[in-house]
Amino acid sequence: MRNCLFLAPMVLVFGCTEPAEKAVPELKPLVISDTTMEVDPSAIVLVPLTTSGVKFDGVYHYSSGNLKYYMRFFERGNAAFVGGTEKYQGQLAEMLTIDVRSGWNQVHNCPVDQRNDSLFIRSMSIKGAINYAGEVRANGDSLSMLRSSEINGTRMQFNYVFLPDVFLQQEKAKFVEVK
């Protein structure tokens, strides 16, 4: 008890002092090729996909029954992707723009990590993460991706084929003509 009485004033003195200033993280240089730049550690850094083998003038498409899945890659280092049903082939693909917001209409826009000949994407949603790991095949004409859900534990192999923008425009024109 005597020790508690002795420690009580010390706790009050040290407990009421102003907290030390919050340390601001120091910006560290990031080296990409021969360029050095300052980067905020919480920032998302995109690394160009120019050596990945993916094509940028169209989308990668996978179909499973009525469900259609599309992925579009951008040279700066991100990919936008979506899945769902559509009235004509390529309707969902029209949503995949370079700066489309993730979480809007089941669309995701994420950085792509290229390691050797493999591509890795981690997509976050309210319920959890979905990871994609795969490789580009046939000179960019196809893409094989393993999709692993941390939400429900499912794993699926998606074998995408490349559809050029010209093909998608023709499919849309056919749909408009029929209407």
Side-chain angles (χ1 to χ4, degrees), residues 44-60:
I44 295 173
V45 177
L46 299 175
V47 178
L49 294 172
T50 51
T51 61
S52 66
V54 296
K55 295 183 178 183
F56 307 109
D57 59 341
V59 296
Y60 288 89

Side-chain angles (χ1 to χ4, degrees), residues 7-168:
L7 291 176
M10 299 296 271
V11 169
L12 287 174
V13 168
F14 290 110
C16 294
T17 59
E18 296 259 341
E21 284 189 34
K22 189 175 180 181
V24 176
E26 180 182 327
L27 295 181
K28 297 179 181 168
L30 173 68
V31 178
I32 299 175
S33 301
D34 295 334
T35 309
T36 301
M37 60 185 193
E38 295 291 322
V39 177
D40 178 354
S42 64
I44 295 173
V45 177
L46 299 175
V47 178
L49 294 172
T50 51
T51 61
S52 66
V54 296
K55 295 183 178 183
F56 307 109
D57 59 341
V59 296
Y60 288 89
H61 172 256
Y62 172 77
S63 183
S64 177
N66 289 339
L67 291 175
K68 311 297 181 197
Y69 298 90
Y70 293 94
M71 277 190 157
R72 180 180 289 273
F73 290 86
F74 300 95
E75 289 183 64
R76 73 180 187 180
N78 64 307
F81 44 99
V82 65
T85 59
E86 55 189 5
K87 293 178 183 174
Y88 60 90
Q89 188 169 11
Q91 181 183 14
L92 291 173
E94 293 174 353
M95 294 190 271
L96 304 180
T97 60
I98 194 165
D99 290 319
V100 67
R101 282 187 15 209
S102 283
W104 171 81
N105 211 4
Q106 300 300 316
V107 175
H108 299 271
N109 191 347
C110 305
V112 178
D113 182 16
Q114 178 187 352
R115 287 182 246 148
N116 299 319
D117 64 347
S118 300
L119 300 174
F120 301 91
I121 303 169
R122 182 172 174 85
S123 173
M124 296 300 296
S125 72
I126 294 171
K127 295 181 181 180
I130 296 178
N131 298 302
Y132 295 82
E135 63 184 355
V136 179
R137 295 183 173 170
N139 294 323
D141 287 337
S142 65
L143 179 68
S144 179
M145 297 293 270
L146 175 63
R147 180 179 182 250
S148 303
S149 172
E150 292 181 15
I151 302 164
N152 59 17
T154 60
R155 296 167 57 104
M156 294 176 60
Q157 186 71 37
F158 284 35
N159 293 310
Y160 292 86
V161 295
F162 183 75
L163 301 176
D165 287 332
V166 173
F167 174 79
L168 296 173

